[in-house]
Amino acid sequence: MKIKYDKATAQTAKCCAIIFSALLLIGLVIMAVYSGALICVPCWGVYLFARLYFVRLRAYGYEIPEHKKKYGDKLSELVRIQDAETSLFAKHSKIGACIYIAIFCVFMVIDTVYLFKWNFMKETCYFWYVICVVLNLLWIVLAGIMRKQENKDKYRDDVEPDDGRKERWNLENIIIFAICFMAVCAIAINLAVSTTKYVFEAQIDGDMLQADSIRRDVLSVMKEYERDGKQASSASYRAICNGVVLTEWKTPEDELQCSLAEKLQIADFGELANDFKMADGQARIYVQYRDGNAIVELLNPIGEVEKNSRVYRRIYVESDYYSHGR
């Protein structure tokens, strides 16, 4: 086994940590701040881990080496003052298991909050939730490994002179892996939220585009009827002028409805409901023609449109521009 740290390494790390921490705190130059942040954190980490390593060396009766090269980096060459019991730091495995279970619980709470907030997005939400949960379950696997490493007959500490047993994770390994894997889980849930928000906004925008397409077609048909002078005898024309839920018309019944259905490229007005993603149940599309303009609105959008959308507060268009209904 090799000697991991010596006094010289610890002292050098401590000096570097102090110097670059000072640079970070003073912040005289922006580049100094960046270099201080990038270097001081790892240096403090090395110093902390070295001190933890020295604790284990002393516990097993070793002298702390000034320079590990003097001993050829071999722990077996290091002076040992006294013998020690077996697996003095097996408790670190238990601590690691508790840490990992606690982290698992924290991330499961975060993921569950995400699920409850965005479950209306169905496939997108469920897809990302499953990914996040699978990642989180690895914390339980790791906790199980830690509990397994508590076995003193099969596992030893990293400074324990016994090659017949496997080396258990030391406290530094447990901490480093926890930090790295927490970053992975945090990135995953962040991607889940940002991707779901993007799909949500895209579906709202798609509904707005669909509403605007309907508005243009209604406007075209209504103006054509006005040019032909047919509006006076058309009950459908008057209904649209007063405002009508277009999806309740079903199969076209008169000339105007047939013209509008042909323009919309549908056989039944109920088909329009299939084109809206943000409807709460079967989409109800309201249309009104007045003063040479047409308005189209989704009467039953899901409540999340108003609560969570960054741009729109309802699915509503009028004239030749989107009305965001803010």
Side-chain angles (χ1 to χ4, degrees):
M1 293 183 290
K2 291 185 176 182
I3 301 173
K4 295 182 180 179
Y5 299 101
D6 53 27
K7 287 184 178 179
T9 302
Q11 190 62 30
T12 300
K14 180 180 179 181
C15 291
C16 290
I18 292 173
I19 292 171
F20 286 103
S21 293
L23 287 175
L24 177 61
L25 294 173
I26 295 172
L28 296 176
V29 183
I30 293 178
M31 290 305 297
V33 174
Y34 287 137
S35 62
L38 290 173
I39 299 176
C40 80
V41 173
C43 286
W44 277 117
V46 172
Y47 176 71
L48 172 63
F49 295 159
R51 301 305 300 181
L52 293 173
Y53 182 68
F54 294 162
V55 169
R56 294 196 296 276
L57 281 179
R58 290 193 185 95
Y60 279 94
Y62 290 103
E63 288 186 351
I64 308 303
E66 288 289 344
H67 298 281
K68 59 183 180 180
K69 294 295 183 183
K70 179 181 176 180
Y71 304 93
D73 287 346
K74 295 181 179 179
L75 185 63
S76 59
E77 300 296 324
L78 192 62
V79 177
R80 192 176 187 191
I81 302 172
Q82 62 183 19
D83 292 333
E85 296 179 9
T86 301
S87 292
L88 296 176
F89 296 92
K91 60 184 178 182
H92 287 175
S93 295
K94 185 175 182 179
I95 293 172
C98 293
I99 290 173
Y100 290 160
I101 290 174
I103 295 173
F104 166 77
C105 293
V106 169
F107 274 105
M108 282 305 300
V109 169
I110 294 173
D111 294 345
T112 302
V113 169
Y114 161 77
L115 177 65
F116 275 100
K117 182 176 180 179
W118 294 100
N119 62 21
F120 66 92
M121 290 300 294
K122 297 181 175 63
E123 289 84 359
T124 302
C125 177
Y126 300 153
F127 171 78
W128 280 105
Y129 180 72
V130 169
I131 289 179
C132 291
V133 168
V134 169
L135 283 175
N136 289 344
L137 288 175
L138 290 178
W139 290 109
I140 299 298
V141 175
L142 291 168
I145 293 174
M146 292 296 97
R147 292 306 300 263
K148 183 179 179 181
Q149 290 185 3
E150 289 184 54
N151 189 325
K152 296 182 180 182
D153 295 328
K154 295 183 178 180
Y155 292 88
R156 62 173 175 82
D157 295 324
D158 59 340
V159 297
E160 193 173 357
D162 182 0
D163 293 330
R165 292 176 291 159
K166 298 179 182 179
E167 182 179 322
R168 67 169 53 87
W169 282 18
N170 55 48
L171 195 57
E172 301 95 281
N173 297 142
I174 293 170
I175 293 172
I176 290 174
F177 191 87
I179 292 173
C180 294
F181 197 53
M182 280 174 65
V184 172
C185 292
I187 290 172
I189 189 61
N190 184 65
L191 279 174
V193 173
S194 59
T195 301
T196 306
K197 283 183 177 179
Y198 175 82
V199 175
F200 173 62
E201 296 290 345
Q203 289 185 355
I204 292 178
D205 197 56
D207 282 2
M208 292 292 289
L209 288 171
Q210 184 62 29
D212 189 61
S213 176
I214 294 173
R215 182 197 63 79
R216 292 176 184 274
D217 290 340
V218 168
L219 200 59
S220 174
V221 171
M222 295 295 279
K223 287 188 174 182
E224 180 181 350
Y225 259 61
E226 289 179 341
R227 286 193 300 269
D228 295 342
K230 300 178 181 179
Q231 69 272 21
S233 59
S234 174
S236 296
Y237 177 90
R238 293 192 296 274
I240 293 178
C241 288
N242 292 327
V244 65
V245 179
L246 199 61
T247 47
E248 293 180 353
W249 268 5
K250 303 304 178 184
T251 304
E253 297 178 351
D254 57 26
E255 184 179 356
L256 185 145
Q257 291 186 17
C258 289
S259 297
L260 184 56
E262 182 179 356
K263 191 75 173 178
L264 293 169
Q265 298 182 343
I266 56 175
D268 187 300
F269 288 101
E271 295 176 18
L272 294 174
N274 301 327
D275 298 326
F276 288 81
K277 305 296 184 182
M278 292 289 103
D280 186 3
Q282 191 77 0
R284 301 180 68 244
I285 311 302
Y286 176 82
V287 175
Q288 186 177 22
Y289 176 74
R290 62 187 180 191
D291 302 326
N293 291 322
I295 65 170
V296 176
E297 180 176 10
L298 174 63
L299 295 180
N300 59 327
I302 58 176
E304 285 75 14
V305 171
E306 183 175 357
K307 291 190 297 184
N308 297 333
S309 177
R310 295 191 303 268
V311 180
Y312 305 107
R313 290 294 174 264
R314 55 180 177 153
I315 311 300
Y316 173 84
V317 292
E318 66 178 15
S319 190
D320 291 325
Y321 60 92
Y322 287 163
S323 174
H324 294 171
R326 297 178 181 178

